[in-house]
Amino acid sequence: SAVISQKPSRDICQRGTSLTIQCQVDSQVTMMFWYRQQPGQSLTLIATANQGSEATYESGFVIDKFPISRPNLTFSTLTVSNMSPEDSSIYLCSVDRTGAGGYTFGSGTRLTVV
Amino acid sequence: TQLLEQSPQFLSIQEGENLTVYCNSSSVFSSLQWYRQEPGEGPVLLVTVVTGGEVKKLKRLTFQFGDARKDSSLHITAAQPGDTGLYLCAGAGGTSDYKLSFGAGTTVTVRA
């Protein structure tokens, strides 16, 4: 199964600033997924990142707020821009473990905006 | 609105007891997955079920996929403190072939 390295694991940021989260996968994958998990809640898909094309955003999420890069088949970044306290969440990246029928997740980035 | 309704939201039991978590939807899924998440970690896949009526067993955990592929259950026999965590069901193929729809999660606490 794929192994994902996600960083930073946590950060405390000032409102109005931006944070870039990185995900490195140990094998090539076609799609990478970015999720948000607000305190005590389930996972909400932010966007799907494909290499060589624009990310596809879910309803309620926009590129200006959450720009995504996918420069190659093993790496992606998610930026949380112009942060406010409402952006305090856990952000997770994920890949499809093709053939295993399930998804592998990074360990998450716990973001606190003050 | 959650595509997958998960119940109960919280479950606290004594070590050795059994528990069941339910995941229901009005949508048909091509597969349904169960994950367990511990604090400070991402969700870890427990099982994927793909065939209606399918039952899978992993040691003390039994997973069932409904005949119509709209619902699933997770049953834990003789729960142990190590089973404590957030259990999440996720369906694939509801709105798209590859995007997962997650249930709200069930927080399970097993007291020693």
Side-chain angles (χ1 to χ4, degrees):
Chain A
S1 62
V3 175
I4 300 177
S5 173
Q6 183 174 344
K7 57 182 181 181
S9 59
R10 58 178 62 235
D11 207 341
I12 301 174
C13 300
Q14 295 290 324
R15 68 175 67 201
T17 63
S18 298
L19 175 72
T20 296
I21 302 167
Q22 300 180 4
C23 265
Q24 179 75 51
V25 189
D26 68 344
S27 57
Q28 293 185 339
V29 292
T30 304
M31 292 185 286
M32 293 180 72
F33 306 94
W34 287 97
Y35 287 86
R36 182 173 72 184
Q37 186 175 27
Q38 293 181 303
Q41 298 191 23
S42 189
L43 280 73
T44 301
L45 182 63
I46 297 171
T48 302
N50 298 305
Q51 193 268 335
S53 64
E54 290 273 331
T56 304
Y57 289 83
E58 298 300 304
S59 176
F61 298 96
V62 295
I63 188 171
D64 290 345
K65 176 66 176 177
F66 297 102
I68 286 171
S69 78
R70 184 81 201 276
N72 57 54
L73 291 173
T74 64
F75 186 78
S76 180
T77 68
L78 169 77
T79 299
V80 186
S81 303
N82 188 24
M83 289 183 285
S84 67
E86 292 70 35
D87 294 320
S88 296
S89 280
I90 299 171
Y91 292 85
L92 297 141
C93 62
S94 172
V95 301
D96 179 5
R97 305 190 317 175
T98 304
Y103 288 69
T104 300
F105 286 83
S107 55
T109 297
R110 182 178 293 273
L111 170 64
T112 303
V113 183
V114 297
Chain B
T1 303
Q2 211 86 35
L3 198 60
L4 281 164
E5 297 294 330
Q6 204 171 327
S7 63
Q9 185 177 0
F10 298 98
L11 200 52
S12 180
I13 60 171
Q14 201 68 34
E15 182 177 4
E17 294 181 338
N18 302 332
L19 69 94
T20 303
V21 179
Y22 300 93
C23 185
N24 297 292
S25 176
S26 57
S27 301
V28 176
F29 292 99
S30 57
S31 72
L32 203 139
Q33 301 161 22
W34 285 92
Y35 293 83
R36 184 172 74 204
Q37 185 179 23
E38 298 187 28
E41 298 294 329
V44 175
L45 179 70
L46 296 174
V47 78
T48 299
V49 286
V50 296
T51 305
E54 181 177 5
V55 177
K56 278 191 175 178
K57 293 191 176 183
L58 295 175
K59 298 183 180 178
R60 295 178 293 101
L61 278 61
T62 301
F63 304 86
Q64 188 162 5
F65 201 14
D67 291 341
R69 306 208 317 276
K70 294 182 178 181
D71 55 86
S72 181
S73 63
L74 157 61
H75 182 79
I76 301 179
T77 303
Q80 300 175 0
D83 296 324
T84 293
L86 175 66
Y87 288 81
L88 296 156
C89 65
T95 55
S96 81
D97 288 339
Y98 58 84
K99 289 193 289 189
L100 292 181
S101 298
F102 279 86
T106 297
T107 300
V108 171
T109 304
V110 182
R111 305 184 304 274

